[in-house]
Amino acid sequence: MASVLQKLITPLFTGPPEPPRNKVTVVGVGQVGMACALSILLRELADELALVDVMEDKLKGEMMDLQHGSLFLKTPKIVADKDYSVTANSRIVVVTAGVRQQEGESRLNLVQRNVNIFKHIIPQIVRYSPDCIIVVVSNPVDVLTYVTWKLSGLPKHRVIGSGTNLDSARFRFLIADKLGIHPSSFNGWILGEHGDTSVPVWSGTNVAGVSLQTLNPEIGTDSDAENWRETHRMVVDSAYEVIRLKGYTNWAIGLSVADLTESLMKNMNRIHPVSTMVQGMYGISDQVYLSLPCVLNSGGVASVVNMSLTEDEVSQLQASAGTLWDIQKDLQDV
């Protein structure tokens, strides 16, 4: 006797199902991973979303919760498993997995513990999606993007760190808020390390092409009567402040990663400050990843914009690279 399905639907094609064309995988279903996943879903960027984690109950729960919202989404397939075969044929893989810094723990020790985790994750990603672009979000993001590049064997343009895309967004929000305009109407860049040694490019800040440094030659310096420099300090401290208040950051980084995913998935050639291999640029001789303005398209980082930086900004960028290299050079098994 024919089933309801057989009575309802007459198949016209009986071959194997079409593989996904715009599949995104998120590795790690903590607060950051799920914010990335939800932001990507709401922007309708993927035809399949895969989630991976070692915590099976949490993983299944998050998958089911998203699946139950499928009526309100345009992503027809949401899957999850601790086995990386579920990630096969991904175009973009977002890595948010890793351990958090413990009280009193050095950054080097934290990095080494995350390196040991990445040694399990990265080869599995590449095994099942050899043509993917990897976007690293886990902290410290610049060092772990370098680690991912080394472990993956992928070309450098296909391994990207979320970098200072979020720092720059915070910078643009804070300054635009003071000026009473929308963040998209203020142009400003934060480069270098995603962290304490990030570099605000005051020389490039502008609104509708009007340079803020022309209006206030002291902007961003100690002698600035308006103390715009405080804005950069707020950017650096903002993650710590949000963590103090709510325990973690997740929404802004999730939105930031979805924005990067859109540029990659839709071949947009849009420019973002993301972490890329900078050896040979701005007098940096070491193999480090840090953020510069990068043109992102479906191939990954297509090119890097050569910004006209001041001598002071270049020296800050070099110091940022030195900070990262000091941590990287002592890593084991990379």
Side-chain angles (χ1 to χ4, degrees), residues 125-263:
I125 291 171
V126 177
R127 175 186 172 192
Y128 288 105
S129 302
D131 299 322
C132 74
I133 295 167
I134 301 179
V135 178
V136 181
V137 184
S138 314
N139 275 320
V141 67
D142 302 290
V143 177
L144 290 178
T145 306
Y146 164 80
V147 167
T148 298
W149 173 58
K150 296 296 266 188
L151 292 174
S152 68
L154 295 179
K156 60 189 177 185
H157 66 275
R158 281 174 39 211
V159 180
I160 305 166
S162 56
T164 59
N165 199 52
L166 176 54
D167 309 60
S168 296
R170 287 169 170 153
F171 187 55
R172 292 174 73 175
F173 162 72
L174 291 166
I175 291 192
D177 194 46
K178 286 180 77 169
L179 296 172
I181 60 176
H182 191 270
S184 65
S185 295
F186 165 71
N187 298 303
W189 298 80
I190 288 190
L191 308 180
E193 180 204 9
H194 170 60
D196 300 348
T197 67
S198 64
V199 182
V201 184
W202 292 107
S203 63
T205 57
N206 74 86
V207 175
V210 179
S211 165
L212 299 194
Q213 198 172 58
T214 301
L215 302 178
N216 176 0
E218 304 295 336
I219 195 166
T221 67
D222 288 333
S223 48
D224 175 19
E226 294 183 73
N227 196 23
W228 285 95
R229 188 175 187 171
E230 173 70 6
T231 314
H232 178 244
R233 190 196 62 75
M234 289 169 69
V235 170
V236 171
D237 291 346
S238 58
Y240 301 117
E241 179 70 356
V242 174
I243 290 167
R244 183 183 71 78
L245 292 166
K246 63 175 257 190
Y248 51 87
T249 66
N250 66 327
W251 297 123
I253 185 60
L255 292 166
S256 167
V257 169
D259 202 45
L260 300 177
T261 302
E262 181 178 52
S263 290

Side-chain angles (χ1 to χ4, degrees), residues 101-119:
Q101 197 162 3
Q102 296 172 348
E103 199 169 336
E105 182 179 31
S106 72
R107 282 182 77 205
L108 179 58
N109 195 62
L110 171 70
V111 174
Q112 190 62 58
R113 288 200 295 141
N114 274 328
V115 167
N116 297 337
I117 292 169
F118 273 44
K119 279 163 62 180

Side-chain angles (χ1 to χ4, degrees), residues 55 89 97 165 183 215 223 238 276 281 289 309:
M55 297 171 64
N89 301 310
N165 199 52
L215 302 178
S223 48
S238 58
T276 191
M281 302 180 200
Y289 266 74
L309 302 179

